[in-house]
Amino acid sequence: MRGKLLLTLGLAACLVASAVGLALAAKPTVVREGNMVLKINGSVRPKALPKGRLAPIALRASGRIGTNDGTTPPAVRKVIVDFDKRGTVNAKGLQACRPGQLQARRTEDALKACKGALVGRGKTEVVVDFADQEPFTATGPLLLFNGGVKGDKTRMYIHAYVNVPTPTALVTNVVIKKIKKGRYGTRAIARIPEIANGAGKVTFFRFEIDRKFRRKGEQQSYLVARCANGRFYAHAKSFFDDGRTAGGTIVRPCRKRG
């Protein structure tokens, strides 16, 4: 079965949030577009960050997408997120993984091939809704890998191993690059392929990113951020396969220290 991991709006938004240290609220954030309902939740450690310098952070995030009437939600095809210039991905010096090391591999084999590039772990849930049979749900582990830095771009690869309906290694990537747009300093673009020829939709995910490594003898963190004015900003826009688009600005508080 051909297919790659379908990132929902929530997954892409949370990945971007992880890149900038966006502090998600204790209560889930609910996004509604027509009959679609998306719930996103998570937390950042530590909650207090320096004002004038970047500091290490870790992120836990989760999300669920559904509809008010119980029907299968449409598939998102592309997500563009601009986020706060006060946070970034710090991947220089970290081992990078190549897509060929992840494709057609089970979870344990992908981890063995790219263990040094691992930045996070999690779980995903996919609903597969073929026209000629009852929908079924498949779950599988998520592995998040650093894909390397080239110029002003950083890549992150996501590997999942899910029965859709046969065991399949699903791989996608998010490209993160620098921009100059007012309060925004980074843009993430995810172009979303299909699962099971369009029949598969991600309905749940959770992951944690907390990768520390050493560069030139100094301790580094894959995610870093600072709190300059007590808030983080992100603006997201998603494009769905039924022609709809959805977008908005996310504002979250942070606590200054030092």
Side-chain angles (χ1 to χ4, degrees):
M1 181 71 65
R2 297 177 59 189
K4 295 183 179 180
L5 177 63
L6 175 64
L7 295 174
T8 64
L9 170 62
L11 179 53
C14 280
L15 286 173
V16 172
S18 74
V20 301
L22 185 63
L24 298 176
K27 295 175 63 177
T29 297
V30 180
V31 179
R32 300 180 186 275
E33 174 61 29
N35 73 329
M36 289 190 299
V37 181
L38 172 68
K39 296 182 180 181
I40 309 171
N41 207 351
S43 61
V44 169
R45 306 189 313 270
K47 294 182 179 180
L49 294 168
K51 177 180 178 180
R53 61 179 178 83
L54 295 172
I57 62 168
L59 173 83
R60 289 182 179 178
S62 64
R64 185 173 293 277
I65 186 170
T67 60
N68 288 324
D69 57 8
T71 57
T72 303
V76 62
R77 287 289 174 251
K78 182 173 71 173
V79 177
I80 300 175
V81 187
D82 295 339
F83 53 91
D84 206 300
K85 59 187 177 183
R86 299 176 181 87
T88 191
V89 174
N90 175 43
K92 289 184 179 180
L94 178 61
Q95 183 175 324
C97 188
R98 301 186 307 274
Q101 294 176 282
L102 303 175
Q103 293 166 354
R105 290 179 182 261
R106 297 176 301 172
T107 299
E108 54 268 34
D109 295 328
L111 184 59
K112 183 178 180 180
C114 289
K115 187 175 182 179
L118 184 71
V119 297
R121 294 175 180 262
K123 179 182 178 181
T124 189
E125 180 181 287
V126 179
V127 170
V128 183
D129 189 2
F130 291 116
D132 57 349
Q133 65 183 69
E134 289 294 315
F136 65 90
T137 300
T139 61
L142 286 177
L143 298 177
L144 286 71
F145 296 98
N146 174 45
V149 180
K150 187 175 182 180
D152 65 346
K153 297 180 180 178
T154 300
R155 287 185 187 272
M156 179 188 294
Y157 295 113
I158 305 170
H159 178 278
Y161 196 71
V162 185
N163 291 325
V164 287
T166 58
T168 305
L170 310 171
V171 181
T172 196
N173 72 82
V174 177
V175 177
I176 304 168
K177 64 181 182 179
K178 297 293 184 182
I179 61 171
K180 293 183 179 180
K181 189 180 177 183
R183 63 166 59 99
Y184 302 111
T186 309
R187 172 169 289 175
I189 302 174
R191 297 184 182 277
I192 315 306
E194 294 181 337
I195 295 177
N197 295 324
K201 315 289 170 62
V202 171
T203 55
F204 172 78
F205 67 89
R206 69 168 185 262
F207 64 84
E208 179 173 8
I209 298 177
D210 185 13
R211 177 61 196 271
K212 306 298 188 295
F213 61 100
R214 300 193 71 82
R215 182 174 68 218
K216 296 181 179 180
E218 296 185 0
Q219 183 78 1
Q220 303 287 327
S221 174
Y222 182 72
L223 304 180
V224 292
R226 64 187 181 94
C227 182
N229 63 358
R231 293 181 179 87
F232 289 122
Y233 293 86
H235 181 81
K237 187 174 184 179
S238 59
F239 302 79
F240 293 87
D241 65 353
D242 62 358
R244 279 187 284 179
T245 63
T249 299
I250 304 168
V251 183
R252 292 290 185 268
C254 60
R255 198 165 71 238
K256 293 182 287 186
R257 65 172 172 82

